[in-house]
């Protein structure tokens, strides 16, 4: 494994994510206090609808980076150019076709959803701008495959930071100097996305000039290769929607727009943590894919196990932190909500986070299925869980008073079963190794959750924040204690030495440079 490149990618990805989280934490309470929780709920619902469309698109795009990287690592530049060019021109056509239903949906949405009359025009404009930004992203999404193929996710992270800062700057200016409107969020998305597209295109041509973009490389066989395996990515995306992607829509249709707003707020922090998990785990994806492309099975196994431990080590503390200190955070963050609403938000956030408590330790295994192009079985299993989730939620909504708690909780409980049984077993099967291969890191993770979570809970009995400064100081102390304990639990003796030696080398090199 190229430790230097992985480190640079990880640092870049985390800086990008930190920027995104910081902006979200600052802007969300501002939007809620000025426009209300219902209006904010439609921001999340718009993003959910985009994910609905992505279900079909991921059949084409889901395997693009993987196929380009495998071909590029073999120096088969013509095949890499074929995948890249074919996906690009196909995505342009799809984006143009989708423009028509986008216009129809945005113009009729007040007849579909439960919506207060005072926010109709504002929300319609928001949705139209958000969808236009999404369609622009579709058209040029394949350019990211170049950074994946070259294992330069740090560059992609830098571009994302620029995009996020620009997005935040536009929102701050518009909200401060003009009458607050929720559609400013859509405007900022379009402008920042155009800059993101431009920088990504420049990076692609600098990094991979051997991967050409031309109609002469367009071939239906590449669409076939991508879609034959990618269709399972689409079904996988569908099951994700059945598990978590329909929650805001169901809440709006069966309960109320206000409850949808509270659920949207509750999903904000868990959503950022899910992004953190995907970011940390995704840092190892290029090296794992390259190892597979070169036929290095032993290297792939080592990298996968380490990725499981490292992802769990880095991400489990934030998950446990939200569970232990979440209510204190929400009191400080959402000052416009009542005590009852804050408690509901915290409960919903914990229910949403429940699977993440343990999925942080098995997240890299999802990429094993993608790398080996064996997606059929896991997708069918997940799809069955998704359908079961919808059925149970409907029954509970009709027969109990659980309301939004049923929507948030059922999926989490079902997902836990999949985490402990199917995921580690099938990943081991795909790599043709012992079925118990990945239970070692997972068992360490379970112990880690019990010990670190218990210590953090005990500390919370004595350390209760009363202000933002106090909160930050307490979280820093509790988090540091958690990471120290987790370090000794998650890594074996040799891995501890490797991490310490590598850290010393980086620090020594930095001092020498200075």
């Amino acid at each position: 494994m190229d430790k230097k490149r992985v480190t640079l990618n990880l640092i870049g990805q985390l800086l990008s994510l930190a920027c995104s989280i910081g902006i979200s934490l600052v802007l969300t309470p501002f939007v809620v206090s000025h426009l209300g929780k219902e209006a904010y709920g439609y921001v999340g619902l718009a993003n959910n609808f985009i994910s609905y469309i992505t279900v079909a698109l991921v059949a084409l795009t889901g395997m693009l980076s993987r196929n380009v990287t495998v071909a590029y690592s073999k120096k088969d530049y013509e095949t890499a150019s074929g995948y890249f060019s074919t996906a690009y021109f196909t995505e342009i056509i799809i984006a143009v076709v989708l423009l028509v239903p986008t216009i129809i949906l945005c113009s009729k949405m007040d007849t579909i959803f439960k919506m207060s009359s005072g926010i109709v025009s504002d929300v319609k404009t928001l949705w139209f701008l958000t969808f236009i930004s999404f369609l622009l992203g579709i058209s040029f999404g394949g350019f990211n495959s170049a950074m994946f193929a070259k294992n330069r996710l740090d560059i992609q992270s830098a571009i994302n930071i620029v995009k996020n800062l620009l997005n935040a700057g536009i929102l701050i200016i518009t909200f401060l100097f003009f009458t607050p409107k929720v559609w400013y969020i859509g405007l900022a998305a379009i402008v920042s996305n155009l800059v993101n597209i431009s920088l990504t295109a420049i990076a692609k041509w600098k990094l991979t000039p051997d991967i050409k973009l031309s109609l002469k490389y367009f071939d239906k066989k590449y669409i076939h290769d991508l879609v034959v395996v990618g269709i399972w990515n689409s079904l996988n995306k569908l099951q994700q929607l059945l598990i978590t992607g329909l929650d805001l829509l169901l809440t709006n249709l069966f309960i109320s727009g206000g409850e949808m707003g509270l659920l949207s707020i509750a999903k904000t922090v868990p959503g950022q943590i899910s992004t953190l998990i995907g970011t940390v785990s995704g840092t190892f994806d290029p090296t794992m894919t390259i190892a597979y492309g070169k036929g290095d099975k032993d290297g792939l196994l080592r990298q996968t196990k380490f990725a499981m431990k490292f992802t769990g080590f880095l991400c489990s503390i934030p998950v446990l932190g939200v569970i232990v200190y979440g209510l204190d955070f929400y009191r400080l963050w959402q000052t416009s909500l009542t005590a009852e609403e804050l408690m509901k938000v915290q409960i919903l956030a914990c229910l949403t986070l429940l699977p993440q408590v343990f999925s942080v330790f098995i997240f890299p295994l999802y990429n094993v299925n993608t790398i080996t192009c064996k997606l059929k079985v896991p997708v069918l299993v997940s799809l069955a869980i998704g359908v079961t989730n919808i059925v149970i939620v409907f029954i509970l909504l009709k027969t109990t008073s659980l309301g939004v708690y049923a929507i948030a909780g059922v999926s989490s409980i079902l997902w836990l079963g999949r985490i402990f049984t199917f995921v580690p077993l099938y990943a081991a099967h795909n790599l043709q190794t012992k079925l118990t291969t990945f239970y070692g890191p997972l068992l360490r993770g379970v112990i880690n959750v019990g010990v670190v979570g218990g210590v953090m809970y005990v500390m919370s009995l004595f350390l209760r924040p009363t202000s933002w400064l106090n909160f930050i100081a307490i979280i820093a102390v509790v988090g540091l204690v958690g990471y120290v304990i987790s370090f000794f639990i998650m890594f074996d003796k040799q891995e501890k030495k490797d991490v310490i030696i590598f850290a010393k080398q980086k620090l020594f090199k930095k001092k020498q440079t200075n």
Side-chain angles (χ1 to χ4, degrees):
M1 184 191 302
D2 187 342
K3 293 182 178 180
K4 180 179 179 181
R5 177 58 57 208
V6 171
T7 302
L8 287 174
N9 287 344
L10 179 60
I11 292 173
Q13 295 276 69
L14 291 179
L15 286 175
S16 174
L17 180 61
C19 178
S20 176
I21 292 175
I23 292 169
S24 177
L25 294 183
V26 171
L27 291 178
T28 298
F30 185 83
V31 173
V32 172
S33 61
H34 282 76
L35 301 173
K37 58 181 182 289
E38 181 183 357
Y40 179 75
Y42 281 99
V43 177
L45 189 59
N47 291 325
N48 276 9
F49 263 76
I50 285 175
S51 66
Y52 304 160
I53 300 174
T54 307
V55 168
L57 293 177
V58 77
L60 176 69
T61 62
M63 299 298 292
L64 179 60
S65 291
R66 182 265 181 198
N67 286 16
V68 169
T69 300
V70 170
Y72 193 82
S73 65
K74 297 176 179 178
K75 301 187 184 301
D76 185 357
Y77 301 131
E78 183 172 348
T79 298
S81 299
Y83 282 119
F84 176 71
S85 297
T86 301
Y88 171 78
F89 291 113
T90 304
E91 288 165 355
I92 290 287
I93 296 172
I94 291 173
V96 173
V97 171
L98 286 176
L99 185 60
V100 175
T102 293
I103 295 173
I104 295 174
L105 174 63
C106 293
S107 63
K108 300 291 185 181
M109 61 181 303
D110 56 319
T111 64
I112 301 173
F113 308 112
K114 294 179 180 178
M115 187 183 305
S116 300
S117 58
I119 64 172
V120 171
S121 61
D122 196 7
V123 170
K124 283 185 176 181
T125 307
L126 163 73
W127 275 47
F128 181 74
L129 295 176
T130 301
F131 274 88
I132 293 300
S133 175
F134 167 66
L135 295 179
L136 287 171
I138 290 176
S139 304
F140 297 91
F143 283 78
N144 290 320
S145 60
M147 286 171 277
F148 191 96
K150 295 292 289 187
N151 196 15
R152 291 304 306 270
L153 301 185
D154 54 319
I155 296 178
Q156 183 176 332
S157 301
I159 294 174
N160 287 337
I161 291 174
V162 173
K163 174 185 175 181
N164 290 331
L165 290 176
L166 179 60
N167 186 78
I170 294 171
L171 289 177
I172 291 172
I173 292 172
T174 52
F175 274 105
L176 287 180
F177 295 101
F178 301 93
T179 303
K181 298 288 184 182
V182 73
W183 64 261
Y184 296 160
I185 296 174
L187 175 65
I190 286 181
V191 176
S192 59
N193 205 16
L194 286 172
V195 173
N196 175 69
I197 289 169
S198 301
L199 294 177
T200 302
I202 292 172
K204 181 261 171 278
W205 300 124
K206 292 286 186 180
L207 288 172
T208 57
D210 296 316
I211 300 178
K212 309 295 184 181
L213 176 61
S214 174
L215 276 172
K216 75 176 184 178
Y217 291 108
F218 184 93
D219 196 316
K220 289 186 292 185
K221 73 176 183 179
Y222 294 117
I223 296 179
H224 176 269
D225 290 346
L226 290 170
V227 172
V228 163
V229 178
I231 190 65
W232 297 105
N233 276 323
S234 286
L235 291 174
N236 186 52
K237 189 72 176 177
L238 177 59
Q239 63 81 17
Q240 291 174 15
L241 292 180
L242 293 175
I243 293 289
T244 60
L246 296 175
D247 48 7
L248 294 181
L249 179 61
L250 291 174
T251 304
N252 179 281
L253 296 179
F254 288 93
I255 305 176
S256 70
E259 289 288 278
M260 179 188 70
L262 290 178
L263 180 57
S264 184
I265 294 170
K267 286 169 65 71
T268 301
V269 174
Q272 297 289 1
I273 290 179
S274 294
T275 303
L276 170 65
I277 298 169
T279 297
V280 176
S281 175
T283 304
F284 297 92
D285 289 355
T287 55
M288 290 168 62
T289 305
I290 292 170
Y292 179 80
K294 293 180 178 179
D296 183 7
K297 179 181 175 180
D298 291 337
L300 177 57
L301 281 172
R302 287 194 303 272
Q303 292 176 38
T304 302
K305 288 182 179 180
F306 183 77
M308 292 174 67
K309 294 180 180 180
F310 191 84
T311 303
F313 163 72
L314 206 60
C315 301
S316 60
I317 307 304
V319 175
L320 295 171
V322 173
I323 293 174
V324 175
Y325 279 101
L327 187 57
D328 298 294
F329 168 77
Y330 287 119
R331 285 196 185 110
L332 296 170
W333 187 45
Q334 294 291 342
T335 56
S336 64
L337 299 182
T338 66
E340 182 181 354
E341 289 174 331
L342 289 170
M343 179 57 72
K344 179 173 284 190
V345 167
Q346 168 64 1
I347 294 173
L348 292 172
C350 288
L351 288 174
T352 303
L353 273 176
L354 183 60
Q356 310 294 8
V357 174
F358 300 104
S359 71
V360 293
F361 305 104
I362 56 93
F363 212 87
L365 297 183
Y366 296 135
N367 191 46
V368 170
N369 300 330
T370 301
I371 291 173
T372 57
C373 290
K374 295 180 179 179
L375 299 170
K376 180 179 179 179
V377 175
V379 167
L380 291 176
V381 170
S382 299
L383 197 58
I385 294 175
V387 172
T388 303
N389 172 67
I390 294 298
V391 172
I392 294 176
V393 167
F394 270 112
I395 292 173
L396 292 178
L397 287 175
K398 293 293 185 180
T399 61
T400 72
S401 59
L402 289 174
V404 70
Y405 295 125
I407 295 174
V410 172
S411 59
S412 296
I413 294 172
L414 292 173
W415 206 247
L416 281 175
R418 182 179 186 271
I419 288 170
F420 282 100
T421 56
F422 178 76
V423 175
L425 291 173
Y426 193 71
H429 169 74
N430 279 349
L431 295 180
Q432 298 179 340
T433 185
K434 290 190 301 182
L435 293 179
T436 57
T437 296
F438 298 118
Y439 273 99
L442 181 55
L443 179 60
R444 284 179 182 266
V446 173
I447 297 172
N448 181 75
V449 168
V451 175
V452 176
V455 171
M456 292 176 70
Y457 174 73
V458 172
M459 294 181 71
S460 72
L461 298 178
F462 302 95
L463 301 173
R464 304 305 311 186
T466 56
S467 66
W468 273 118
L469 186 61
N470 189 225
F471 178 81
I472 293 171
I474 290 174
I475 289 300
V477 172
V478 174
L480 179 60
V481 171
Y483 275 117
V484 170
I485 297 173
S486 183
F487 177 77
F488 286 98
I489 294 175
M490 289 307 302
F491 300 111
D492 60 33
K493 186 176 181 180
Q494 186 57 49
E495 288 169 338
K496 291 187 183 77
K497 288 182 180 179
D498 290 342
V499 172
I500 292 172
I501 291 173
F502 184 62
K504 286 181 177 179
Q505 288 175 341
K506 297 293 290 183
L507 182 62
F508 178 76
K509 183 178 180 180
K510 184 176 181 180
K511 287 182 177 180
Q512 289 288 90
T513 304
N514 292 338

